[in-house]
Amino acid sequence: MISEEQLDRYRIDGTLLRVVRDANRDNDVRGYVVAWDESSVLIRKRSTRRLVKLDRRYVYQPIEEERALPPALVDAIGREEPGE
């Protein structure tokens, strides 16, 4: 889960983020941190300026960083048998 300090830094700096929710890149959310609470983050989408409420357990990273998969997804992929 992303820390309060990191969210605050992203908000203050106006960092454009990528929120990775699953393995499909098309489902990523791109935008800016607006607010958060103990379980969710409010992101203002870049293209439409709409607000989206997302779970804090997703992967939040600056857009210029290489895309990282959520830890739960990496664990699930690691447990699959080869050839499946």
Side-chain angles (χ1 to χ4, degrees):
M1 183 171 356
I2 189 164
S3 70
E4 300 270 334
E5 293 80 19
Q6 191 63 52
L7 285 167
D8 197 40
R9 176 60 46 207
Y10 288 152
R11 182 188 60 81
I12 290 170
D13 293 344
T15 305
L16 179 61
L17 297 180
R18 170 191 299 119
V19 183
V20 180
R21 300 184 291 175
D22 57 29
N24 187 348
R25 286 181 184 273
D26 294 335
N27 292 334
D28 291 356
V29 174
R30 291 163 196 82
Y32 302 93
V33 173
V34 175
W36 61 90
D37 61 21
E38 60 277 343
S39 63
S40 60
V41 178
L42 197 60
I43 298 288
R44 181 175 44 88
K45 290 182 73 172
R46 178 178 152 197
S47 58
T48 62
R49 303 186 65 88
R50 288 188 151 171
L51 296 175
V52 181
K53 186 175 181 179
L54 300 169
D55 195 301
R56 279 183 64 171
R57 292 178 289 183
Y58 291 139
V59 175
Y60 292 80
Q61 61 186 158
I63 200 84
E64 61 270 352
E65 288 183 7
E66 186 173 332
R67 187 176 187 270
L69 289 176
L73 188 58
V74 171
D75 291 343
I77 292 170
R79 284 182 259 167
E80 289 181 6
E81 293 296 321
E84 287 187 0

